[in-house]
Amino acid sequence: MKPLLAMTLEELTETLAAWGLPAFRARQVFQWVWGGRRTDPATMTNLPAALRAKLAACLPPLTGRIVRRTDAADGVVKLLLAWPDDQTTETVLIPTRPGEARRPRRTACVSTQVGCPIGCTFCASGLGGVRRNLQAAEIVEQVIQWDALPPAGPGDPDAAARVTHVVLMGTGEPLANYDAVVEACRILVDPDRGGLSGRHLTLSTVGYPDRIRRLAGEGIPLTLAISLHAPTDALRRRLIPAAAASTIQELVAAGKDYFERTGREVTLEYVLLADVNDSGRCADELAAIARQLRCNVNLIRYNEVAELPCRRPSDGAVRRFRDRLSEAGVNVQIRASRGADADAACGQLRRRAGTS
Ligand code: SF4
């Protein structure tokens, strides 16, 4: 049976009809889950006890069990979810800090695979390879888990609010799990289900030019972020071995197509690694790439991982890199680095819990 979070109202109605129940029961369940973010059937008070019990046994809204939670001092929270097959997934909530933004944001960073096939040499998630793809409902659940939780932590300024932004930037390569990821995105932006603005949904990929073009035709107004991380193909192949299948120029061409077909500017993600890709020459080469398409460049300060040799550049080096891009006319920003004491680098919580 399809998981409840992946069902449309029509599909839920059919399922409950097969259980001998009228259509209004499906609407009630739908309303609890999507309208109220109520995920424990026992609390769906207008349902008959027998239906509550059957939902809990056969069609629970949530299937992941929280096996670990870490709270950083700055309000970032990380959950480790265990699925029924005991595979685990990390999801992170990044709330804005008090006074940081006019409108408080709650950003959920979700994973799309168990482990990752890409094997970036600076990332903990790639160390164990990929175990399996996540289903669409498991991707969506990583968002709904936050809405169903009590206050996220001491820094959460608006704990009662829902997730406002979703970034598919956790463990896994979204475009390597294309169908499930697109289905999850459709559920998240469906006004009757996730209710998220497409403008608040970002998909981050190391880049498959053909799938970027296919994504542009899906009609989902999401922001595409391309994880570049290197300004030359040679260095990129060293840092992202699985990205060797496409060149930077092929990605630039796909990014241009994406902008032309969707009107959405592309983001280039660039994680800064000390003495690897943070030189002035790298900045100049990156600027030359960025000027070829309508894009913003996001610089990410590396979060160090104990098992890996890469190091985080100094704040001064990061600022100098940013300024050089900026002087070259590139829209560039340094992404705030949050949650360092919550094992916030991708894949760290799974490894620390011994589940990768
Ligand atoms: S950085 Fe992203 S793509 Fe690279 S190994 Fe980690 S999770 Fe995979």
Side-chain angles (χ1 to χ4, degrees):
M1 192 186 314
K2 204 170 181 180
L4 196 153
L5 287 184
M7 285 186 181
T8 60
L9 178 59
E10 291 70 31
E11 289 167 331
L12 183 60
T13 304
E14 277 173 29
T15 300
L16 267 54
W19 295 357
L21 293 162
F24 79 89
R25 290 297 183 202
R27 285 196 296 277
Q28 286 176 319
V29 173
F30 214 71
Q31 179 57 29
W32 278 117
V33 173
W34 293 113
R37 297 295 200 261
R38 193 71 70 86
T39 53
D40 179 359
T43 66
M44 299 178 184
T45 48
N46 58 358
L47 302 183
L51 175 53
R52 283 185 252 159
K54 190 154 184 181
L55 282 175
C58 306
L59 199 57
L62 301 184
T63 61
R65 190 168 41 88
I66 299 172
V67 290
R68 187 174 286 204
R69 171 177 171 154
T70 52
D71 290 67
D74 62 4
V76 171
V77 190
K78 196 163 195 172
L79 295 182
L80 186 68
L81 301 175
W83 306 111
D85 64 358
D86 287 333
Q87 296 294 342
T88 56
T89 292
E90 294 174 355
T91 177
V92 182
L93 183 71
I94 307 149
T96 44
R97 289 168 282 201
E100 186 184 358
R102 199 158 47 88
R103 287 197 191 142
R105 287 181 176 197
R106 287 163 63 84
T107 302
C109 177
V110 308
S111 300
T112 52
Q113 295 181 294
V114 176
C116 183
I118 302 299
C120 299
T121 51
F122 51 84
C123 172
S125 293
L127 289 173
V130 65
R131 296 273 177 87
R132 71 167 172 86
N133 285 334
L134 290 175
Q135 300 169 17
E138 291 170 331
I139 297 168
V140 172
E141 176 168 334
Q142 293 170 63
V143 178
I144 304 305
Q145 284 271 7
W146 292 116
D147 290 341
L149 266 187
D156 187 348
D158 197 7
R162 292 182 180 177
V163 166
T164 58
H165 294 67
V166 173
V167 291
L168 301 173
M169 291 185 181
T171 301
E173 163 51 55
L175 296 187
N177 183 16
Y178 187 91
D179 291 341
V181 165
V182 166
E183 186 186 351
C185 290
R186 290 197 195 289
I187 294 168
L188 288 171
V189 301
D190 181 347
D192 296 327
R193 293 188 280 176
L196 193 77
S197 161
R199 305 178 71 80
H200 295 174
L201 177 61
T202 301
L203 182 151
S204 176
T205 175
V206 299
Y208 294 74
D210 292 352
R211 292 182 206 176
I212 288 174
R213 291 193 173 89
R214 193 172 152 201
L215 186 67
E218 297 286 355
I220 306 169
L222 54 78
T223 299
L224 176 72
I226 297 175
S227 299
L228 203 63
H229 303 328
T232 64
D233 286 322
L235 180 56
R236 196 159 191 267
R237 278 195 293 272
R238 232 177 76 206
L239 297 179
I240 314 175
S246 54
T247 64
I248 290 173
Q249 279 312 311
E250 286 166 343
L251 286 177
V252 167
K256 277 185 190 168
D257 282 358
Y258 190 86
F259 173 73
E260 278 163 19
R261 291 175 66 189
T262 65
R264 308 277 301 149
E265 283 189 1
V266 172
T267 299
L268 296 182
E269 306 272 346
Y270 193 98
V271 64
L272 280 163
L273 307 166
D275 303 324
V276 175
N277 65 356
D278 64 341
S279 66
R281 182 175 173 177
C282 284
D284 294 342
E285 289 168 333
L286 177 59
I289 294 166
R291 282 198 304 257
Q292 294 178 50
L293 71 168
R294 287 284 293 270
C295 72
N296 299 294
V297 173
N298 253 348
L299 300 177
I300 304 154
R301 295 186 185 98
Y302 181 60
N303 267 335
E304 292 183 6
V305 177
E307 303 98 311
L308 298 174
C310 299
R311 292 291 158 251
R312 181 182 177 126
S314 67
D315 287 351
V318 172
R319 279 196 300 274
R320 280 194 295 279
F321 198 92
R322 190 252 338 254
D323 292 347
R324 199 144 170 160
L325 283 168
S326 195
E327 284 157 15
V330 174
N331 288 329
V332 57
Q333 58 179 357
I334 300 169
R335 191 196 294 164
S337 190
R338 304 273 308 273
D341 49 338
D343 288 335
C346 177
Q348 279 182 314
L349 191 61
R350 274 181 80 231
R351 294 190 69 74
R352 202 146 300 191
T355 54
S356 61

